[in-house]
Amino acid sequence: MRAAVVKKFGGPEVLEVIEVPTPVAGRGEVLVKVAGASVNFADVLVREGLNVQYGATAQRGQYGLGADVAGTVAAVGEGVTQYAVGDRVVGTQERLDRDLGTQAEYVLLKDWELAPAPAGIDLVQLATLGLNATTADQALDALALEPGQWLLVTGAAGGVGLYTLELARLRSLRVIAQAGAADEELVRKAGAELFVSRDEDLVPAVGALVPGGVDGAIDAANLAAGAADAVRHGGAFVSLLNSAPMARRQVRMTNLAWHTDGERLAKLAAFAGTGLITLRVAKTLPLEQITQAHQTLAEGGLRGRLVLVP
């Protein structure tokens, strides 16, 4: 089978699509025929070697690419009872040190890394769900806000940001979204009650809308203290890129490390199946065009995920 890998670190030019044996499902494992695998910032970390530089993984000769996947079950290993050949599934894997990732013709995952795909949803679209929606939902859990409280979301028009807005609306939170001026309509449609342009000075702009500051913030734009200072005394702040500032004003600071959660993924897939959250595909590309996919990701401005199709 064909699979995307990195054998040396660098720019998009180091990416390779190679021929490897199709994996065999062992105990507790499921072999998935890939319909689509999205491209995320985590893939850039692997490609550039930042996963090794920051101690997330050890040095290896080869790294597979891809965290998200949707497809159909091709084989199941011993002990797997919840899935059968032909089942439609969605999955995520959090490891950055696997020899093979989801960007391949087939991927081998543990049964707990998968969830059933809702009927009627295109699998290529569903491939955009896992990492971003899971991160958003886990970040909201970490904040632990009550219905009616104010939430600030920076980078609200990005992949995680848009899911955060939709999921926050389902939790009856009141949301201020920060994004580019051109994205105001998009983020309001996703659930933002109020809007601040990224061209404005964020802290005073938020203070003018919610005197005293918001109850919590999810910093998808990596503004760090520039967003944390918009949180009220005793509030909560979540950084998605390990940039939460030192504690101040009794604000509870969290650096979120997302993790695979099959039960949560099943809930989120069900939300997508009923239209409560939106699956957004910016563009599909064949697996062989993975270099172009990384170049497009680096250009920015995407409102949806790039999906590689084997």
Side-chain angles (χ1 to χ4, degrees), residues 153-158 177-187 195-200 303:
V153 180
T154 72
Q178 185 237 26
D183 289 314
E184 180 174 359
E185 181 179 356
L186 174 65
V187 299
F195 176 78
V196 175
S197 169
R198 66 171 173 237
D199 296 324
E200 299 179 66
R303 296 299 171 255

Side-chain angles (χ1 to χ4, degrees), residues 50 53 136 152 192 202-203 221 227 270 280:
L50 296 178
Q53 180 179 334
L152 168 66
L202 181 63
V203 174
R280 294 178 174 87

Side-chain angles (χ1 to χ4, degrees), residues 115-284:
I121 296 294
D122 181 79
L123 289 174
V124 171
Q125 290 190 335
L126 195 61
T128 64
L129 177 71
L131 188 156
N132 288 325
T134 297
T135 299
D137 206 45
Q138 290 175 349
L140 287 166
D141 278 0
L143 285 181
L145 298 183
E146 297 293 331
Q149 288 191 298
W150 279 104
L151 167 68
L152 168 66
V153 180
T154 72
V160 175
L162 286 168
Y163 280 128
T164 303
L165 298 181
E166 293 182 321
L167 291 168
R169 178 168 55 187
L170 295 178
R171 297 177 185 225
S172 298
L173 300 178
R174 305 182 73 181
V175 180
I176 300 175
Q178 185 237 26
D183 289 314
E184 180 174 359
E185 181 179 356
L186 174 65
V187 299
R188 285 188 181 274
K189 185 177 180 180
E193 181 176 341
L194 300 175
F195 176 78
V196 175
S197 169
R198 66 171 173 237
D199 296 324
E200 299 179 66
D201 192 347
L202 181 63
V203 174
V206 170
L209 295 171
V210 181
V214 293
D215 300 292
I218 293 176
D219 185 22
N222 200 31
L223 302 182
D229 284 344
V231 178
R232 65 167 174 82
H233 175 79
F237 176 86
V238 171
S239 169
L240 304 184
L241 291 170
N242 292 315
S243 62
M246 294 179 64
R248 60 186 72 192
R249 297 176 291 103
Q250 295 184 20
V251 174
R252 177 165 46 85
M253 302 290 186
T254 301
N255 284 312
L256 182 78
W258 84 280
H259 59 275
T260 303
D261 183 340
E263 291 186 8
R264 189 185 303 266
L265 184 59
K267 176 193 75 172
L268 295 168
F271 285 171
T274 56
L276 292 174
I277 59 177
T278 307
L279 302 171
R280 294 178 174 87
V281 176
K283 188 176 183 180
T284 60

